[in-house]
Coordinates of all heavy atoms in Angstrom, one line a residue:
T27 N -15.8 0.9 -26.3 CA -16.0 0.7 -24.9 C -15.6 2.0 -24.1 O -14.7 2.7 -24.6 CB -15.3 -0.5 -24.3 OG1 -13.9 -0.3 -24.5 CG2 -15.8 -1.8 -25.0
R28 N -16.3 2.2 -23.0 CA -15.9 3.3 -22.2 C -14.7 2.9 -21.3 O -14.6 1.8 -21.0 CB -17.1 3.7 -21.3 CG -18.2 4.3 -22.1 CD -19.3 4.7 -21.1 NE -19.5 3.6 -20.1 CZ -20.5 3.5 -19.3 NH1 -21.4 4.4 -19.3 NH2 -20.6 2.5 -18.5
P29 N -13.9 3.9 -20.9 CA -12.8 3.6 -20.0 C -13.4 3.0 -18.7 O -14.4 3.5 -18.2 CB -12.2 5.0 -19.7 CG -12.6 5.8 -20.8 CD -13.9 5.3 -21.3
G30 N -12.8 1.9 -18.3 CA -13.2 1.3 -17.0 C -14.3 0.2 -17.2 O -14.7 -0.4 -16.3
S31 N -14.8 0.1 -18.5 CA -15.9 -0.9 -18.7 C -15.2 -2.3 -18.9 O -14.0 -2.4 -19.2 CB -16.7 -0.6 -19.9 OG -15.9 -0.6 -21.1
P32 N -15.9 -3.4 -18.6 CA -15.4 -4.7 -18.7 C -14.8 -5.1 -20.0 O -13.9 -5.9 -20.1 CB -16.6 -5.6 -18.4 CG -17.6 -4.8 -17.8 CD -17.4 -3.4 -18.2
G33 N -15.2 -4.5 -21.1 CA -14.7 -4.9 -22.4 C -13.4 -4.2 -22.7 O -12.8 -4.5 -23.7
E34 N -12.9 -3.3 -21.9 CA -11.7 -2.5 -22.2 C -10.5 -3.4 -21.9 O -10.4 -4.0 -20.9 CB -11.7 -1.2 -21.4 CG -10.4 -0.4 -21.6 CD -10.4 0.8 -20.7 OE1 -11.0 0.8 -19.6 OE2 -9.8 1.8 -21.1
A35 N -9.5 -3.3 -22.7 CA -8.2 -4.0 -22.5 C -7.5 -3.3 -21.3 O -7.6 -2.1 -21.2 CB -7.3 -4.0 -23.7
S36 N -6.9 -4.1 -20.5 CA -6.2 -3.5 -19.3 C -4.9 -2.8 -19.8 O -4.0 -3.5 -20.3 CB -5.9 -4.5 -18.2 OG -5.1 -5.5 -18.7
G37 N -4.8 -1.5 -19.6 CA -3.6 -0.8 -20.0 C -2.9 -0.3 -18.7 O -3.2 -0.8 -17.6
P38 N -2.0 0.6 -18.8 CA -1.4 1.1 -17.6 C -2.4 1.8 -16.7 O -3.2 2.6 -17.2 CB -0.4 2.1 -18.2 CG -0.7 2.4 -19.6 CD -1.6 1.3 -20.0
P39 N -2.4 1.5 -15.4 CA -3.4 2.0 -14.5 C -3.4 3.5 -14.3 O -4.3 4.1 -13.9 CB -3.1 1.2 -13.2 CG -1.7 0.8 -13.3 CD -1.4 0.6 -14.7
A40 N -2.2 4.1 -14.5 CA -2.1 5.5 -14.3 C -2.5 6.4 -15.5 O -2.4 7.6 -15.5 CB -0.7 5.9 -13.9
A41 N -2.9 5.7 -16.6 CA -3.3 6.5 -17.8 C -4.5 7.4 -17.5 O -5.5 7.0 -17.0 CB -3.7 5.5 -18.9
G42 N -4.3 8.7 -17.7 CA -5.3 9.7 -17.5 C -5.4 10.2 -16.1 O -6.2 11.0 -15.8
L43 N -4.6 9.6 -15.1 CA -4.7 10.0 -13.8 C -3.5 11.0 -13.5 O -2.5 11.0 -14.1 CB -4.5 8.8 -12.8 CG -5.6 7.8 -12.8 CD1 -5.2 6.6 -11.9 CD2 -6.9 8.4 -12.3
P44 N -3.7 11.9 -12.5 CA -2.6 12.8 -12.2 C -1.5 12.0 -11.6 O -1.6 10.9 -11.1 CB -3.2 13.7 -11.1 CG -4.5 13.1 -10.7 CD -4.9 12.1 -11.7
P45 N -0.3 12.6 -11.5 CA 0.9 11.9 -10.9 C 0.6 11.5 -9.5 O -0.2 12.2 -8.8 CB 2.0 12.9 -11.0 CG 1.6 13.9 -12.0 CD 0.1 13.9 -12.0
P46 N 1.2 10.4 -9.0 CA 0.9 10.0 -7.6 C 1.1 11.0 -6.5 O 0.3 11.1 -5.6 CB 2.0 8.8 -7.4 CG 2.3 8.4 -8.8 CD 2.1 9.6 -9.7
A47 N 2.0 11.9 -6.7 CA 2.3 13.0 -5.7 C 1.1 13.9 -5.6 O 0.9 14.6 -4.6 CB 3.5 13.7 -6.0
E48 N 0.3 14.0 -6.7 CA -0.8 15.0 -6.7 C -2.1 14.3 -6.3 O -3.1 14.9 -6.1 CB -0.9 15.6 -8.0 CG 0.2 16.5 -8.4 CD 0.1 17.0 -9.8 OE1 -1.0 16.9 -10.5 OE2 1.1 17.6 -10.3
R49 N -2.1 13.0 -6.1 CA -3.4 12.2 -5.8 C -3.7 12.2 -4.4 O -4.9 12.0 -4.0 CB -3.3 10.8 -6.3 CG -3.4 10.7 -7.8 CD -3.4 9.2 -8.2 NE -2.3 9.0 -9.1 CZ -1.8 7.8 -9.3 NH1 -2.2 6.8 -8.7 NH2 -0.8 7.7 -10.2
G50 N -2.8 12.4 -3.5 CA -3.1 12.3 -2.1 C -1.8 12.1 -1.3 O -0.7 12.2 -1.8
A51 N -2.0 11.8 0.0 CA -0.9 11.6 0.9 C -1.2 10.5 1.8 O -2.3 10.2 2.1 CB -0.6 12.9 1.7
T52 N -0.1 9.9 2.3 CA -0.2 8.8 3.3 C -0.1 9.5 4.7 O 0.8 10.3 4.9 CB 0.9 7.8 3.2 OG1 0.7 7.2 1.9 CG2 0.8 6.7 4.2
V53 N -1.1 9.3 5.5 CA -1.0 9.9 6.9 C -0.8 8.8 7.9 O -1.5 7.8 7.9 CB -2.4 10.6 7.2 CG1 -2.4 11.2 8.6 CG2 -2.7 11.7 6.1
I54 N 0.3 9.1 8.7 CA 0.6 8.1 9.7 C 0.2 8.7 11.1 O 0.7 9.8 11.4 CB 2.1 7.8 9.7 CG1 2.5 7.2 8.4 CG2 2.4 6.7 10.8 CD1 4.0 7.0 8.2
P55 N -0.7 8.1 11.8 CA -1.2 8.7 13.1 C -0.1 8.8 14.1 O 0.9 8.0 14.1 CB -2.3 7.7 13.6 CG -2.7 7.0 12.3 CD -1.5 6.9 11.5
D56 N -0.2 9.8 15.0 CA 0.8 10.0 16.1 C 1.0 8.7 16.9 O 2.2 8.4 17.2 CB 0.3 11.1 17.0 CG 0.2 12.5 16.4 OD1 0.6 12.6 15.2 OD2 -0.2 13.4 17.1
R57 N 0.0 8.0 17.2 CA 0.1 6.8 18.1 C 1.0 5.7 17.4 O 1.7 5.0 18.0 CB -1.2 6.3 18.5 CG -2.1 5.8 17.4 CD -3.5 5.4 18.0 NE -4.4 5.1 16.9 CZ -4.4 4.0 16.1 NH1 -3.6 3.1 16.4 NH2 -5.3 3.9 15.2
V58 N 0.9 5.6 16.0 CA 1.6 4.6 15.3 C 3.1 5.0 15.3 O 4.0 4.2 15.5 CB 1.1 4.5 13.8 CG1 2.0 3.6 13.0 CG2 -0.3 4.0 13.9
V59 N 3.4 6.3 15.1 CA 4.8 6.8 15.1 C 5.3 6.6 16.5 O 6.5 6.2 16.7 CB 4.9 8.3 14.6 CG1 6.3 8.8 14.7 CG2 4.4 8.4 13.2
A60 N 4.5 6.9 17.5 CA 5.0 6.7 18.9 C 5.3 5.2 19.2 O 6.3 4.9 19.9 CB 3.9 7.2 19.9
R61 N 4.5 4.3 18.7 CA 4.8 2.9 18.9 C 6.1 2.5 18.2 O 6.9 1.7 18.7 CB 3.7 2.1 18.3 CG 3.9 0.6 18.5 CD 2.7 -0.2 18.1 NE 1.7 -0.1 19.1 CZ 0.4 -0.5 19.0 NH1 0.0 -1.1 17.9 NH2 -0.4 -0.3 20.0

């Protein structure tokens, strides 16, 4: 089975993905911080 296909056993979700710090960032808008 191909990775991500329905027949694949569920393994660790981060397998083959870059570390979380390299995947993106959480952005908090100015108005939320102001609140």
Side-chain angles (χ1 to χ4, degrees):
T27 58
R28 292 183 315 195
S31 65
E34 181 183 26
S36 60
L43 295 175
E48 294 177 11
R49 285 187 238 158
T52 301
V53 178
I54 303 173
D56 293 355
R57 64 184 169 77
V58 173
V59 177
R61 181 174 286 172

